[in-house]
Amino acid sequence: GTGGAALLGGLLTDLVGFRPALSIGGGLTLFAALMWARALPDLNIGAVTHLRLPSAAAGADGFPWPAALVAAVPMFVTRFVFAGVASATAILWLSNLVGDGLTVGRLALPLATLTGAFVALRALVSVAGARVAGHLADRARRRWQTTAAVLLAGGVGVWLAADPRVGIAVTGALAAAVAAGGVQALAPVLVGDHGQPALRGRMLSVVYT
């Protein structure tokens, strides 16, 4: 979904301009919000409100703040770098590598369309990274160590993405996307490992906030 939206956004920007494309995107978002507000049922969470909490992991209010905050660190780093800096500068990054666009045979890709296509590819790679990271974490049975290794791989990918050579830069950016997907898959798992069912929703709210 994210990849398709990025590709469509790039095409619309090149076809109709930035402001009309943004207006179309805003209208689609409003439509989706109204549709899901009408279609989704309310959740019944009353069955998990009386569970005993482990005192060793709980703060003064019974909430496991240490586990929630530590799980939030890799999520914050990943979202800051990839959803923040990388997304905001993707078109500038590509313009430094390929100029105003890319021509492959008879096919000419303007910069905004090329950026949308690359962001779509990056989203697909992130999905693959989530599956790989989850498999490794289950196989090794060391979720924290796996998360740290994935973050390290992401850092290396970001460093390579700054290379002026196109091949190395793109390889680094895609490697970083694998790490981003992995961290976002593992952070909720860390919450599940260290939180009682009645508190997992609140722990996730801390992580994502």
Side-chain angles (χ1 to χ4, degrees):
T2 302
L7 181 57
L8 179 61
L11 287 170
L12 280 174
T13 300
D14 283 328
L15 289 174
V16 302
F18 177 73
R19 290 179 64 87
L22 197 62
S23 298
I24 292 171
L28 290 174
T29 303
L30 177 61
F31 173 76
L34 294 174
M35 181 181 69
W36 287 115
R38 180 177 179 82
L40 284 179
D42 290 329
L43 298 177
N44 179 13
I45 60 173
V48 291
T49 57
H50 301 292
L51 296 177
R52 185 172 59 87
L53 302 176
S55 58
D61 61 347
F63 183 76
W65 285 105
L69 292 176
V70 172
V73 169
M75 180 65 77
F76 171 78
V77 171
T78 300
R79 299 294 293 173
F80 179 81
V81 173
F82 297 102
V85 177
S87 294
T89 61
I91 194 166
L92 298 175
W93 175 74
L94 277 173
S95 69
N96 286 333
L97 293 175
V98 300
D100 293 331
L102 185 65
T103 302
V104 181
R106 296 183 177 180
L107 179 64
L109 295 175
L111 186 57
T113 300
L114 181 62
T115 303
F118 178 76
V119 172
L121 175 62
R122 190 171 63 190
L124 291 175
V125 171
S126 290
V127 171
R131 180 169 179 82
V132 170
H135 176 73
L136 290 175
D138 287 338
R139 189 177 181 86
R141 298 181 183 276
R142 295 177 180 271
R143 305 199 199 280
W144 288 109
Q145 290 86 340
T146 303
T147 304
V150 169
L151 273 175
L152 179 61
V156 173
V158 171
W159 177 68
L160 291 175
D163 195 282
R165 290 165 289 188
V166 175
I168 294 177
V170 171
T171 299
L174 294 179
V178 171
V183 168
Q184 293 181 83
L186 291 175
V189 175
L190 297 175
V191 168
D193 285 346
H194 294 86
Q196 291 289 321
L199 292 178
R200 286 173 185 164
R202 187 176 164 200
M203 289 178 71
L204 281 174
S205 74
V206 171
V207 169
Y208 283 100
T209 299

